[in-house]
Amino acid sequence: MAIERTLSIIKPDATKRNLTGKIVAKFEDAGLRVVASKRIHLTAAQAGEFYAEHQARGFYGELVAYMASEPVVVQVLEGEGAIAKNREVMGATDPAEAAPGTIRKEFALSKGENSAHGSDSEAAAAREIAFFFSGLELVG
């Protein structure tokens, strides 16, 4: 399997509850390495731009408001099959359907406040990483 990089966001519900370290530990325990990380507070405009692909969907406004409500931790994870591994560690979007031991099963408050975001493809990972990080910030 190829070494990949993927974007991970620890969402507002998790940062507000001081779960950043516990969530990062889950990624690291799964063999992923953090090669860039920063805590930021997105504006509504920034969150809207990041999630622009969902603009036509009914949940877009709520998602943008939620992502701008509290600080988030954006990070780049690296490892073999990092995109799929990140999504496996996060678990299903709906915490009621997430596997035991996953981030969303253990920490999510609801389907909307699900504690973590992860890129869903190589193209998305490249776009999402570039949205938050310059090449100089990726120190793997």
Side-chain angles (χ1 to χ4, degrees), residues 119-138:
S119 304
D120 63 5
S121 67
E122 287 183 36
R127 178 182 54 78
E128 292 176 353
I129 290 168
F131 186 89
F132 290 109
F133 295 95
S134 75
L136 291 173
E137 295 175 295
L138 304 173

Side-chain angles (χ1 to χ4, degrees), residues 54-71:
H54 299 299
Q55 196 166 13
R57 301 177 89 177
F59 61 82
Y60 175 76
E62 185 178 334
L63 174 62
V64 168
Y66 162 63
M67 290 301 291
S69 69
E70 297 280 339

Side-chain angles (χ1 to χ4, degrees), residues 55-95:
Q55 196 166 13
R57 301 177 89 177
F59 61 82
Y60 175 76
E62 185 178 334
L63 174 62
V64 168
Y66 162 63
M67 290 301 291
S69 69
E70 297 280 339
V72 297
V73 174
V74 292
Q75 56 191 357
V76 178
L77 305 176
E78 181 180 81
E80 287 190 24
I83 295 166
K85 178 62 73 176
N86 178 24
R87 297 186 70 74
E88 177 185 322
V89 173
M90 284 190 311
T93 302
D94 185 343

Side-chain angles (χ1 to χ4, degrees), residues 22-80:
K22 290 178 181 178
I23 290 173
V24 171
K26 285 197 169 285
F27 290 125
E28 291 179 333
D29 290 347
L32 296 170
R33 189 165 64 130
V34 178
V35 296
S37 180
K38 56 187 167 185
R39 184 179 179 95
I40 61 174
H41 197 147
L42 294 168
T43 65
Q46 290 166 328
E49 183 181 346
F50 181 76
Y51 285 107
E53 67 189 79
H54 299 299
Q55 196 166 13
R57 301 177 89 177
F59 61 82
Y60 175 76
E62 185 178 334
L63 174 62
V64 168
Y66 162 63
M67 290 301 291
S69 69
E70 297 280 339
V72 297
V73 174
V74 292
Q75 56 191 357
V76 178
L77 305 176
E78 181 180 81
E80 287 190 24

